[in-house]
């Protein structure tokens, strides 16, 4: 069973719906501010955002936050505007600074609402987009070990960590120096060779070990986690490749057997999900760009 690359790319990487359902009431801290000056800045923030005037929208949002630092709606507006101004794939210092200020703003949102999913995922996206891999990993681990977060969300975080470890091994085993293709009259035969760098080989083996531990942690928290079973399948396949490189034929066969068993679980869960949801993909999804600010409540007459 193969894993689609998009399952890993932030991851880490499809689109989450951060908007509230129409039937839900806004949280108390998102209701109309007791300070009318704040609303007078949030109204133009929203309208300027929609017209694409992000610099001016940011000015109003920053003023609203300065007037009422504990206002969650103002904090969310400012974070979204700053995020929108950041341009992915632009590594100029001034653009990276925009990403940093957006992360700071989302961190402020989390101090006001520790369970805010938009802020958590947006920070992950910004760390990934700015190639801050260690900070991204630490951010995901923080979610995985946090007992105040639901088991489902913790499992999603562990599954992402399992995927990053799978990627660590896959990038190594797929290199031309390690993956050898021998074409014959009856087809092609793929074999795997260790190479000369034994220290690097041991590091890759540790990636697989860590990845399997992360997948098992996810499954322990949420047995029906499709991504965790998928990564467990592929991590066992990586382990089989590494065993072949060491000439461990018995271990290779055992890893392939375990990959088959894990793959059967992944297929079962996938089919169950598709029957229930009509092939709509689920899982941890992170938006590449922020949504526009929510509508500001109308002034009281």
């Amino acid at each position: 069973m193969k894993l689609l690359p998009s399952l890993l790319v932030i991851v880490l990487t499809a689109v989450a719906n951060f908007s509230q359902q129409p039937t839900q009431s806004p949280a108390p801290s998102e209701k109309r501010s007791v300070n009318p000056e704040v609303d007078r800045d949030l109204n133009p923030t929203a309208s300027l955002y929609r017209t694409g005037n992000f610099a001016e929208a940011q000015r109003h949002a920053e003023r609203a936050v300065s007037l009422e630092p504990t206002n969650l709606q103002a904090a969310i507006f400012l974070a979204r505007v700053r995020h929108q101004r950041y341009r992915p794939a632009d590594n100029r210092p001034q653009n990276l600074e925009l990403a940093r200020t957006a992360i700071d703003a989302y961190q402020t949102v989390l101090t006001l609402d520790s369970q805010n999913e938009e802020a958590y995922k947006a920070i992950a996206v910004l760390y990934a987009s700015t190639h801050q891999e260690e900070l991204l990993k630490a951010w995901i681990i923080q979610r995985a070990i946090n007992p105040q977060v639901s088991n489902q969300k913790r499992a999603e975080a562990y599954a992402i960590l399992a995927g990053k470890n799978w990627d660590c091994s896959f990038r190594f085993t797929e290199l031309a120096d390690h993956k050898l293709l021998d074409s014959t009259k009856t087809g092609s035969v793929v074999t795997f060779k260790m190479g000369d760098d034994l220290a690097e080989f041991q590091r890759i083996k540790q990636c697989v070990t860590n990845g399997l531990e992360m997948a098992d942690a996810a499954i322990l928290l949420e047995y029906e986690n499709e991504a965790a079973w998928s990564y467990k399948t592929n991590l066992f396949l990586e382990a089989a490749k590494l065993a072949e490189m060491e000439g461990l034929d018995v271990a290779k066969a055992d890893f392939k057997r375990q990959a088959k068993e894990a793959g059967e679980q992944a297929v079962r869960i996938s089919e169950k999900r598709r029957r229930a949801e009509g092939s709509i993909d689920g899982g941890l999804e992170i938006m590449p760009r922020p949504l526009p600010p929510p509508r500001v409540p109308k002034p009281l007459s």
Side-chain angles (χ1 to χ4, degrees):
M1 175 178 178
K2 272 196 169 181
L3 248 169
L4 295 177
S6 59
L7 194 60
L8 176 62
V9 177
I10 252 185
V11 106
L12 291 176
T13 64
V15 176
N17 181 5
F18 296 138
S19 59
Q20 290 183 329
Q21 296 297 323
T23 57
Q24 290 180 321
S25 298
S29 56
E30 292 185 16
K31 292 182 179 179
R32 177 177 165 80
S33 171
V34 295
N35 185 344
E37 289 293 322
V38 173
D39 285 338
R40 279 196 279 272
D41 271 299
L42 292 184
N43 277 295
T45 299
S47 59
L48 288 164
Y49 187 107
R50 284 190 287 270
T51 60
N53 190 343
F54 303 122
E56 189 64 14
Q58 180 174 323
R59 187 179 71 81
H60 282 281
E62 287 174 344
R63 185 170 185 275
V65 169
S66 69
L67 290 169
E68 193 172 331
T70 60
N71 186 298
L72 177 59
Q73 187 180 53
I76 290 173
F77 273 35
L78 179 57
R80 288 179 178 174
V81 170
R82 286 180 176 176
H83 192 167
Q84 186 63 44
R85 294 190 69 191
Y86 165 72
R87 313 310 301 176
D90 180 349
N91 294 321
R92 289 177 296 177
Q94 60 268 37
N95 190 55
L96 295 177
E97 177 64 13
L98 289 173
R100 187 194 64 77
T101 61
I103 290 171
D104 288 346
Y106 282 121
Q107 292 278 18
T108 298
V109 171
L110 287 169
T111 64
L112 300 174
D113 177 13
S114 63
Q115 300 301 312
N116 190 288
E117 199 68 4
E118 172 182 355
Y120 167 75
K121 293 179 178 180
I123 289 172
V125 165
L126 287 163
Y127 279 148
S129 181
T130 53
H131 311 294
Q132 300 184 75
E133 289 299 321
E134 290 304 314
L135 289 175
L136 173 60
K137 180 181 177 182
W139 187 245
I140 298 169
I141 289 174
Q142 181 181 322
R143 160 65 63 99
I145 65 177
N146 187 351
Q148 296 182 339
V149 175
S150 71
N151 283 355
Q152 181 183 23
K153 290 176 181 177
R154 291 178 64 195
E156 289 174 343
Y158 274 120
I160 289 173
L161 293 169
K164 292 180 76 63
N165 280 284
W166 164 79
D167 187 63
C168 162
S169 178
F170 186 76
R171 288 176 181 271
F172 175 85
T173 58
E174 291 296 302
L175 289 173
D177 289 345
H178 303 299
K179 182 178 181 179
L180 308 178
L181 184 62
D182 183 18
S183 299
T184 66
K185 292 181 179 180
T186 57
S188 298
V189 177
V190 176
T191 58
F192 294 93
K193 178 183 175 183
M194 182 185 298
D196 298 327
D197 192 340
L198 297 182
E200 177 67 1
F201 181 78
Q202 292 301 322
R203 186 185 73 83
I204 299 305
K205 285 183 68 176
Q206 191 60 50
C207 283
V208 172
T209 299
N210 292 344
L212 287 169
E213 290 176 356
M214 297 298 102
D216 283 339
I219 291 165
L220 186 62
L221 289 165
E222 185 189 17
Y223 190 79
E224 299 288 285
N225 188 294
E226 182 181 346
W229 282 108
S230 295
Y231 281 128
K232 186 170 184 175
T233 301
N234 285 271
L235 282 159
F236 275 131
L237 292 175
E238 288 301 303
K241 295 178 189 177
L242 298 178
E244 180 180 334
M245 291 180 184
E246 293 185 285
L248 303 175
D249 293 340
V250 174
K252 173 185 173 182
D254 189 54
F255 286 136
K256 284 194 169 184
R257 176 188 59 79
Q258 293 182 79
K260 181 176 181 295
E261 292 173 355
E264 289 169 353
Q265 289 287 353
V267 169
R268 176 187 62 79
I269 295 168
S270 176
E271 290 176 348
K272 178 180 177 181
R273 173 179 59 81
R274 290 179 184 279
R275 286 195 299 270
E277 301 178 6
S279 76
I280 298 176
D281 289 330
L284 178 58
E285 299 177 325
I286 303 177
M287 60 184 304
R289 307 294 291 158
L291 292 176
R295 293 183 179 278
V296 180
K298 293 182 179 179
L300 296 175
S301 55

